[in-house]
Amino acid sequence: MRKQLEHLMTMAERPSVEVQVIPDAAGAHAGLAGSFVLFGFPNPSFSEVVCVEHRTGTLYMETPEETGEYTLIFDSLRSIALSPRDSLDLIAKVRQEL
C-alpha cells in the first residue's frame, strides 16, 4: 500500500493530474453508489461521455440528461473532498503511518 500511496503522490506532481481525497468524516455521499468516469473533450463538437462499469459490462452514456446528472455528482464530490494540498498531506501521513 505504501507503493500505491507513493505513486499517487508522484502522479499528483503532473500538471494535468489533481488528486483529492474524500475523508471519512464527510459521511455518506453520492460517490458511495459506485464509481464512474466523466470524459470531457476540448472540442465542443464532441459531447461529454460517462462510463460506468458494472458486473457484466460497461455502460456509456452521452445524452445531456445523463452526463448532466453525473456532472452534478462530480461537482458535489469535489466540493466535499479535501483540497489537493490537504489531500496530499493526508496521503503522506497515512503512508508514513504504514
Side-chain angles (χ1 to χ4, degrees):
M1 191 168 167
R2 281 180 64 90
K3 289 267 190 207
Q4 291 173 329
L5 296 174
E6 288 171 19
H7 181 69
L8 283 174
M9 293 172 71
T10 300
M11 292 296 103
E13 294 173 6
R14 293 182 175 194
S16 62
V17 175
E18 188 171 278
V19 174
Q20 286 186 267
V21 174
I22 298 175
D24 288 337
H29 54 78
L32 296 174
S35 63
F36 63 92
V37 178
L38 177 61
F39 295 99
F41 303 97
N43 185 335
S45 64
F46 295 109
S47 64
E48 289 184 324
V49 177
V50 174
C51 173
V52 178
E53 294 183 3
H54 53 90
R55 290 185 193 269
T56 59
T58 305
L59 177 63
Y60 295 93
M61 297 172 274
E62 300 178 30
T63 69
E65 296 79 22
E66 294 165 330
T67 59
E69 179 72 20
Y70 281 91
T71 298
L72 288 174
I73 292 169
F74 183 74
D75 291 342
S76 166
L77 295 173
R78 287 192 69 189
S79 73
I80 63 171
L82 298 174
S83 70
R85 179 73 255 156
D86 289 344
S87 293
L88 287 178
D89 289 347
L90 178 60
I91 291 169
K93 180 182 176 214
V94 170
R95 183 182 149 273
Q96 188 67 29
E97 291 173 355
L98 291 176

